Amino acid sequence: MVLGIIAVVAALVPNAGPAMAMLLGLAALVLGIVGLVKNHGWRAIASMTLGVVALVVAVVMTVAVYGPLKDAAASAASAANSILASANAGQPAPSADAETQRALKNQLRVWFGNFTPGTESDWSSVPVTVTNISQQRESYSISISAVNANGTEVEADSIYIPNLEAGQSTAKTAFKYIDTDKMDAMKSATYTITRVLVIS
């Protein structure tokens, strides 16, 4: 029973707390079952109950704390990819690797709208619609190249889509930050996906 009480308290502590709570909660549950077999009455039932509560709270805390952290890390990685991609603009457009080709075939569909040049009061934009065609919720980091008729990369960008449910679509905007000297090239560019990172 004491282990169960400590486990419930530990489950509410961030970082290492939920992991400790899972171990202590499991121990409390096992000892509670042993106590029930040995007819220790209400203490055994209390130990089992506290063990189960600690396990549930630990799982909820883990999902609540580390789920957003994972999405934040993926978003940061997507932003970094976007910066690196822009630095490589003007080179031949990279081709999609085998993993990206599989993802585009089996896990998502991507459609691009027309480029709208930026103005003094608004950013440039290319509407991007992404549909999850897999059977489960997924998050995606997608790298995109704007390519001219010669196959040279005019500009590159990256978008991040968190927690898109199976069968659902979402709209994003790419290529917001375009230099003035690239506006004309962007108007006639085509768009190609160079990399898809699927985050289950």
Side-chain angles (χ1 to χ4, degrees):
M1 189 171 69
V2 172
L3 282 177
I5 293 170
I6 296 171
V8 170
V9 173
L12 299 173
V13 178
N15 299 328
M20 183 185 296
M22 287 182 188
L23 293 174
L24 294 176
L26 189 59
L29 181 61
V30 170
L31 292 175
I33 292 170
V34 171
L36 196 62
V37 170
K38 293 186 176 183
N39 294 318
H40 286 289
W42 69 270
R43 285 189 180 92
I45 294 171
S47 175
M48 290 169 48
T49 303
L50 288 168
V52 170
V53 169
L55 288 170
V56 170
V57 172
V59 169
V60 169
M61 284 292 289
T62 299
V63 170
V65 171
Y66 294 107
L69 287 178
K70 182 181 78 171
D71 286 343
S75 183
S78 177
N81 286 340
S82 179
I83 292 169
L84 290 172
S86 294
N88 291 330
Q91 303 295 321
S95 57
D97 57 21
E99 183 180 348
T100 294
Q101 292 174 10
R102 280 194 298 273
L104 292 171
K105 180 179 179 182
N106 302 318
Q107 294 178 283
L108 74 160
R109 293 283 184 269
V110 183
W111 292 269
F112 298 103
N114 295 322
F115 174 71
T116 301
T119 64
E120 291 183 2
S121 60
D122 203 3
W123 300 113
S124 301
S125 65
V126 173
V128 183
T129 303
V130 179
T131 301
N132 180 354
I133 60 170
S134 73
Q135 300 301 311
Q136 62 184 9
R137 183 173 63 182
E138 304 278 16
S139 296
Y140 305 105
S141 177
I142 304 171
S143 297
I144 307 163
S145 284
V147 183
N148 65 19
N150 298 325
T152 301
E153 187 174 76
V154 176
E155 190 58 273
D157 201 0
S158 183
I159 57 173
Y160 176 63
I161 296 117
N163 301 318
L164 187 62
E165 297 290 345
Q168 289 190 347
S169 298
T170 189
K172 291 285 184 178
T173 301
F175 299 102
K176 293 180 182 179
Y177 314 110
I178 303 298
D179 292 338
T180 306
D181 59 346
K182 294 182 180 179
M183 289 291 184
D184 288 338
M186 285 294 296
K187 291 176 185 177
S188 59
T190 57
Y191 307 103
T192 180
I193 297 167
T194 56
R195 187 164 186 262
V196 173
L197 176 63
V198 180
I199 308 159
S200 299

